[in-house]
């Protein structure tokens, strides 16, 4: 436990002082821009992206470029501004990527999950994240993922059929709207036996400031009560507050967190992350689909990660992303 806390503190300090990792630790590949949901909080409509799938040929080229010399294996997520389960080659993509030694995750809204469950288990998909904002009707201002009992049933089916197997690691991703919505959804996830819950702060697309989300005080209260549920059921909670098992370290983090939000100059996302579009172009953030810093088919990933384009972006985030909601978070409360 102490070792985990040590590496967590090291990671937090690394990001605060912006000591860039040697390689991106997370890479997201956009495999489709088609979606079977329309969510008020999702900015995909405002991006005016073409609704198409990445070709299997281009996808394999991308994976091959990421696997040059078999020197480094990445944590890859095959999800973009669309529903990945709509892509007809998804299973073959997962098999090909895992065959190259990479860890593969998929994030889905869960509506089509039933027909994929057995195959995901069979091919040992590493991680499967299901976006589930609420287990009951809740949509005050239209910002939630649509409420659907089918998603809950599909999630229960997945956990039941996986049984004692370790893969896929099942995560429920919850966008925080208010305390009761969060707690009920976390309790549902814990009771059916998922592995992990990921609490996400609501991203408010520019021009939609009417959306509501918890302020810092309520957010910390949510973490505290969610942590109690997690301890009861042995559930992993994916946020820094819950990661500290030591009470003193947790208290320290609770005091430092508001300071981090106010004075941290940089967005945490591009610190260790890259996004690859359906055309093979690379951007430092999924919210910047047309801000190209390189092309994975034409350049080496290390070359892109340390390129002048990336260095410029890291130094001029306010200039490039000035209206981004994530950057404005540090000024809240």
């Amino acid at each position: 436990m102490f070792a985990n806390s040590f590496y967590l503190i090291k990671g937090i300090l690394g990001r605060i002082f912006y000591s860039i990792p040697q390689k991106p630790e997370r890479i997201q590949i956009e495999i489709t821009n088609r979606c079977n949901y329309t969510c008020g909080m999702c900015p995909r409509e405002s991006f005016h992206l073409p609704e198409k799938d990445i070709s299997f040929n281009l996808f394999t080229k991308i994976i091959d470029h990421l696997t040059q010399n078999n020197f480094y294996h990445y944590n890859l997520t095959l999800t973009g501004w669309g529903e990945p389960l709509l892509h007809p080659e998804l299973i073959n993509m997962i098999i090909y990527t895992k065959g190259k030694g990479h860890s593969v995750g998929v994030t889905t809204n869960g509506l089509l999950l039933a027909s994929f469950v057995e195959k995901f288990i069979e091919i040992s998909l590493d991680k499967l994240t299901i976006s589930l904002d609420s287990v009951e009707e809740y949509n005050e201002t239209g910002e939630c993922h649509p409420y659907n009992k089918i998603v809950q049933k599909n999630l229960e089916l997945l956990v039941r059929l996986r049984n004692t197997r370790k893969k896929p690691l099942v995560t429920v991703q919850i966008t925080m709207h208010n305390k009761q919505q969060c707690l009920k959804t976390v309790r549902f996830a814990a009771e059916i036996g998922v592995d992990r819950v990921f609490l996400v702060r609501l991203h408010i697309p520019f021009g939609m400031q009417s959306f509501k989300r918890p302020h810092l005080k309520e957010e910390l209260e949510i973490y505290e009560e969610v942590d109690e549920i997690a301890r009861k059921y042995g559930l992993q909670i994916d946020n820094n507050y819950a990661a500290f098992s030591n009470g003193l370290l947790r208290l320290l983090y609770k005091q430092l967190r508001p300071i981090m939000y106010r004075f941290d100059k940089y967005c945490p996302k591009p610190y260790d992350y890259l996004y690859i579009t359906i055309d093979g172009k690379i951007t430092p953030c999924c919210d910047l689909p047309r801000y190209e810093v390189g092309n994975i088919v034409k350049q080496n990933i290390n070359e892109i990660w340390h390129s002048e384009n990336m260095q410029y972006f890291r130094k001029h985030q306010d200039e490039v992303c000035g209206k981004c909601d994530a950057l404005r978070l540090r000024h809240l409360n």
Side-chain angles (χ1 to χ4, degrees):
M1 289 293 186
F2 178 79
N4 290 339
S5 296
F6 170 79
Y7 285 113
L8 183 59
I9 293 173
K10 183 179 178 182
I12 292 173
L13 291 176
R15 189 178 71 74
I16 290 176
F17 292 103
Y18 224 58
S19 176
I20 304 298
Q22 190 64 28
K23 295 177 181 289
E25 297 172 5
R26 300 173 296 131
I27 297 177
Q28 189 172 343
I29 303 177
E30 180 180 74
I31 64 172
T32 184
N33 284 323
R34 297 184 295 123
C35 194
N36 51 356
Y37 269 170
T38 300
C39 304
M41 66 181 181
C42 180
R44 64 185 295 272
E45 300 295 334
S46 64
F47 291 152
H48 303 293
L49 299 173
E51 292 200 350
K52 65 178 184 179
D53 300 337
I54 194 171
S55 70
F56 187 68
N57 181 54
L58 176 56
F59 178 83
T60 56
K61 285 182 180 179
I62 290 171
I63 299 302
D64 290 345
H65 276 260
L66 291 174
T67 319
Q68 288 180 357
N69 302 321
N70 290 319
F71 180 70
Y72 193 84
H73 296 146
Y74 292 97
N75 291 315
L76 302 179
T77 302
L78 309 187
T79 301
W81 289 112
E83 170 51 49
L85 272 56
L86 289 173
H87 200 297
E89 295 283 359
L90 176 61
I91 297 299
N92 290 330
M93 289 176 172
I94 296 169
I95 293 172
Y96 188 86
T97 307
K98 284 182 62 65
K100 296 292 184 176
H102 301 289
S103 172
V104 185
V106 171
T107 300
T108 173
N109 58 41
L111 191 60
L112 303 175
L113 184 58
S115 59
F116 285 84
V117 167
E118 292 185 2
K119 197 64 180 178
F120 282 161
I121 295 171
E122 178 187 336
I123 64 177
S124 295
L125 174 65
D126 295 287
K127 294 173 288 187
L128 183 62
T129 300
I130 297 89
S131 296
L132 181 66
D133 286 350
S134 181
V135 291
E136 59 184 29
E137 195 69 50
Y138 170 79
N139 207 12
E140 284 186 356
T141 54
E143 68 268 31
C144 296
H145 286 90
Y147 167 75
N148 197 317
K149 277 195 170 292
I150 293 175
V151 177
Q152 297 175 48
K153 292 179 180 178
N154 289 346
L155 184 54
E156 291 176 292
L157 174 67
L158 168 65
V159 175
R160 185 171 69 252
L161 291 183
R162 188 195 60 169
N163 200 3
T164 58
R165 299 177 185 87
K166 295 186 180 298
K167 293 183 180 181
L169 177 78
V170 180
T171 299
V172 168
Q173 180 172 288
I174 304 170
T175 305
M176 294 187 290
H177 299 280
N178 65 44
K179 186 191 295 186
Q180 287 307 112
Q181 161 257 337
C182 285
L183 296 181
K184 288 180 180 179
T185 309
V186 170
R187 190 170 287 109
F188 165 78
E191 288 175 349
I192 67 171
V194 307
D195 302 299
R196 186 177 71 157
V197 162
F198 182 27
L199 297 170
V200 182
R201 202 170 208 200
L202 174 64
H203 174 76
I204 300 179
F206 185 69
M208 296 184 180
Q209 277 69 33
S210 61
F211 285 0
K212 297 178 181 178
R213 64 179 166 206
H215 286 282
L216 185 60
K217 181 180 178 182
E218 184 181 0
E219 191 174 300
L220 289 172
E221 291 174 357
I222 290 171
Y223 289 158
E224 289 175 350
E225 295 191 35
V226 163
D227 188 48
E228 292 180 9
I229 299 172
R231 288 174 179 272
K232 177 181 178 181
Y233 289 93
L235 180 68
Q236 180 184 344
I237 304 296
D238 194 352
N239 66 67
N240 290 334
Y241 176 81
F244 289 115
S245 58
N246 182 288
L248 183 59
L249 290 175
R250 179 175 295 183
L251 179 62
L252 178 63
Y253 175 75
K254 185 176 180 179
Q255 299 302 315
L256 288 177
R257 192 168 186 274
I259 299 174
M260 289 168 59
Y261 266 101
R262 286 193 179 111
F263 297 106
D264 186 2
K265 295 193 300 180
Y266 303 105
C267 173
K269 194 163 195 175
Y271 167 69
D272 60 359
Y273 163 97
L274 285 176
Y275 187 89
I276 303 177
T277 72
I278 51 177
D279 299 314
K281 298 175 182 178
I282 289 186
T283 174
C285 177
C286 58
D287 284 331
L288 296 170
R290 293 184 175 86
Y291 187 86
E292 183 179 350
V293 295
N295 190 307
I296 189 59
V297 179
K298 300 177 182 178
Q299 299 167 273
N300 180 278
I301 188 70
N302 293 334
E303 177 186 340
I304 297 170
W305 184 244
H306 298 287
S307 67
E308 290 184 8
N309 289 339
M310 280 299 297
Q311 291 179 38
Y312 178 88
F313 174 79
R314 291 177 183 129
K315 292 178 181 178
H316 300 86
Q317 287 183 33
D318 278 328
E319 178 184 319
V320 178
C321 316
K323 295 180 180 179
C324 177
D325 181 61
L327 278 178
R328 290 187 286 117
L329 290 181
R330 68 176 186 265
H331 301 304
L332 295 177
N333 302 292

